Amino acid sequence: MNKILKRAFMPSLLAASLAGVSLFPAQPASADDKILEDVGIGAGVGAVSGVIRGRNVIRGAIKGAGAGAAVNGANGLRGTRRERQNRNIIQDVGVGAAAGAVTDGIINGGGDTLGSAAEGAATGAVINTIRKKR
């Protein structure tokens, strides 16, 4: 009996789910149009910080890129373009620091959390400064 029900209902459920997905698409998740620039700025700040601190430059660039993406995402959630231009430096630094610490936990297992938070905070400050000028 169980196989009969599966054979009867599975094709119709599959067709209904495909129709629902294709006919009623949800709004796609979108970041700010400056996401790649912020990731690049973050990677640059992280790489420079890695050189200055005598750490791994590639890991520093990855942590900085993660912080740049997080800062962009935090400001991309604001509604209008004007609101995104009125950035809050404390928010950008805080989000960058948190993202730097989290990225360090993912990459290094939390080897240098405080230093990574400082790198992320620097990334947030640099992005805030660059974006306010534009």
Side-chain angles (χ1 to χ4, degrees):
M1 184 70 160
N2 195 10
K3 288 184 180 181
I4 295 171
L5 289 176
K6 285 183 183 177
R7 287 182 184 169
F9 290 115
M10 289 302 279
S12 61
L13 288 174
L14 183 61
S17 65
L18 288 175
V21 169
S22 63
L23 294 177
F24 302 107
Q27 180 179 358
S30 61
D32 191 5
D33 57 340
K34 304 289 185 184
I35 182 79
L36 293 178
E37 289 180 20
D38 288 347
V39 168
I41 292 168
V45 170
V48 169
S49 175
V51 169
I52 291 172
R53 296 179 60 218
R55 304 283 180 170
N56 189 332
V57 175
I58 295 172
R59 286 187 178 176
I62 292 170
K63 290 185 281 188
V71 169
N72 181 281
N75 285 294
L77 296 175
R78 295 182 181 181
T80 64
R81 181 178 176 176
R82 183 175 182 184
E83 289 173 346
R84 286 193 305 263
Q85 287 177 343
N86 294 331
R87 302 171 80 96
N88 184 349
I89 185 135
I90 295 171
Q91 175 189 349
D92 287 349
V93 169
V95 168
V102 169
T103 308
D104 176 63
I106 293 170
I107 294 174
N108 295 334
D112 184 26
T113 307
L114 187 60
S116 297
E119 289 175 0
T123 299
V126 169
I127 290 173
N128 182 284
T129 303
I130 290 172
R131 294 285 175 238
K132 278 204 170 194
K133 289 183 179 181
R134 290 184 183 177

